[in-house]
Amino acid sequence: MAAKSVILLDVGGREVRLTSPDKVVFPELGITKREVMEYYLAVAEPMVKVLRERPTNLKRYPDGVDGEPFFAKRLPKGAPDHIETAKVTFPSGRTADTFCPTEPASIAWAANMGTLDFHPWPVRRPDTDHPDELRIDLDPQPGTDFADAVEVAGVLREVLTEAGLTGWPKTSGGRGLHVFAPIRPEWDFIQVRRAVITIARRVADRIPEKATVAWWKEERGERVFLDFNQAARDRTIASAWSIRGLPRATVSMPLTWDDLAAAEPDDFTLRTVPGLLADRGDAHAEMGEERGGCETALEWYEADGLGEMPYPPEYPKMPGEPMRVQPSRARTKD
């Protein structure tokens, strides 16, 4: 059996191994593991800023994007000594030591392990129980597209401003959008999720023909779903600059609000983004310099009196949560 090809890279003064550099990761485009590594080295500076000190799940594709990916929520065994961890607590109460990037070599090591998407928690290592980002996932449902998500995002921006928050948009890498709002780490996951719920409800109330917070797919229709459960503990969103495991090797691209109207998600790929970064700089370079709070949104939540929404099915029953019964099944039982 022939020996595997190995290239030794100097990444910030650390030696990082690149194994099987010619292995094809994206067959449709012929993109190799070497190109994936080169991409992550090209965007390492802004990406480290996004991920630094955050417990981060790794979505790994050991057999390329045509194979079966898996999430690594615990640091894989055999990691080099310089790879750091953060302890997180899952909804079940169990804990884990999770990958916690602190430098470009951390990202390069993960890329060599077959990682495409980096999924950071909305917390930092010093306090993993209090998020410092409020995140909203705008998910176009069948019959809607990116342009619809952009329209909904404009209303979301207005509501965030009224709540004293500043939103920062990015493409999801698919058909949707993600909007992050930096907050002070003074509220727990339940409170932050409730803030997201009430913000999302206000957006849906203003444009009910375009946006919805209906958890059950049968009730969403051809609208953009504001996924409030991405704010729940242990639910993560692909980071800015992450390559998505899709055939076109698209990237979750940070944008300004002015960029959105003309943006086309397929324009942001592994092969185009390094040049765009060099030409335009990082649209989110100042994100996090000012942080808002959840006070106003939580006041809205209490005043609305609408209460909780269902949690994801793998969660234990949560306080105040309505029944997790699909509406059509509930009617059948009646």
Side-chain angles (χ1 to χ4, degrees):
M1 183 179 293
K4 286 185 178 180
S5 175
V6 178
I7 297 173
L8 299 180
L9 304 172
D10 183 337
V11 182
R14 294 195 187 278
E15 184 177 273
V16 176
R17 290 161 52 89
L18 172 59
T19 59
S20 305
D22 298 323
K23 179 179 179 179
V24 176
V25 180
F26 291 88
E28 188 175 306
L29 299 175
I31 292 173
T32 63
K33 192 175 176 184
R34 184 198 304 263
E35 288 183 84
V36 171
M37 178 68 80
E38 289 171 347
Y39 167 81
Y40 277 122
L41 293 178
V43 302
E45 182 177 349
M47 193 162 191
V48 167
K49 184 178 178 182
V50 168
L51 298 178
R52 190 189 303 276
E53 294 284 317
R54 294 194 185 280
T56 301
N57 299 333
L58 305 177
K59 192 171 185 181
R60 297 170 58 187
Y61 293 76
D63 299 313
V65 297
D66 287 351
E68 191 69 30
F70 68 95
F71 273 101
K73 294 188 176 184
R74 291 173 169 79
L75 186 72
K77 293 181 179 179
D81 291 342
H82 69 85
I83 300 299
E84 300 186 33
T85 62
K87 186 175 290 294
V88 294
T89 302
F90 300 123
S92 65
R94 292 181 293 110
T95 62
D97 291 321
T98 300
F99 173 66
C100 185
T102 56
E103 57 181 312
S106 306
I107 294 170
W109 170 83
N112 185 58
M113 297 292 288
T115 302
L116 292 181
D117 309 37
F118 292 76
H119 284 248
W121 284 51
V123 299
R124 303 276 184 178
R125 179 163 51 178
D127 184 352
T128 58
D129 290 322
H130 294 87
D132 69 345
E133 286 179 347
L134 183 150
R135 301 173 173 179
I136 302 180
D137 179 10
L138 286 73
D139 184 10
Q141 300 301 290
T144 64
D145 57 20
F146 182 77
D148 296 298
V150 170
E151 185 175 347
V152 173
V155 179
L156 172 59
R157 184 187 186 188
E158 295 172 1
V159 176
L160 287 171
T161 299
E162 292 165 15
L165 299 166
T166 301
W168 298 78
K170 67 184 184 69
T171 65
S172 67
R175 299 187 311 122
L177 275 170
H178 301 152
V179 178
F180 289 7
I183 57 174
R184 302 184 303 277
E186 298 173 6
W187 294 270
D188 63 24
F189 278 94
I190 290 176
Q191 291 171 310
V192 171
R193 178 177 173 274
R194 287 177 176 175
V196 170
I197 286 172
T198 197
I199 288 168
R201 280 173 171 158
R202 290 192 172 224
V203 173
D205 285 346
R206 292 185 188 183
I207 47 170
E209 74 287 355
K210 286 285 188 178
T212 180
V213 293
W215 176 243
W216 302 103
K217 290 183 179 180
E218 65 186 35
E219 295 185 325
R220 294 177 189 170
E222 294 186 0
R223 294 180 289 181
V224 174
F225 173 49
L226 292 102
D227 189 353
F228 52 87
N229 266 329
Q230 293 295 6
R233 180 186 287 271
D234 190 33
R235 293 298 283 258
T236 56
I237 295 175
S239 76
W241 311 106
S242 274
I243 304 168
R244 307 310 305 272
L246 300 170
R248 287 185 52 78
T250 46
V251 166
S252 183
M253 183 69 176
L255 299 172
T256 68
W257 288 104
D258 290 339
D259 290 333
L260 282 185
E264 292 291 342
D266 283 352
D267 290 343
F268 308 118
T269 71
L270 175 155
R271 287 176 170 163
T272 64
V273 165
L276 293 171
L277 173 62
D279 291 342
R280 304 180 186 177
D282 177 9
H284 288 189
E286 297 178 0
M287 180 176 166
E289 292 183 5
E290 294 184 7
R291 296 188 173 273
C294 293
E295 300 96 334
T296 298
L298 291 174
E299 288 172 5
W300 293 346
Y301 180 87
E302 293 300 326
D304 291 344
L306 298 174
E308 271 285 6
M309 297 283 278
Y311 273 78
E314 70 272 16
Y315 274 63
K317 183 69 175 178
M318 300 297 286
E321 181 188 0
M323 291 182 63
R324 294 181 198 171
V325 180
Q326 198 171 326
S328 56
R329 292 186 179 179
R331 288 193 293 269
T332 300
K333 290 180 180 179
D334 291 343

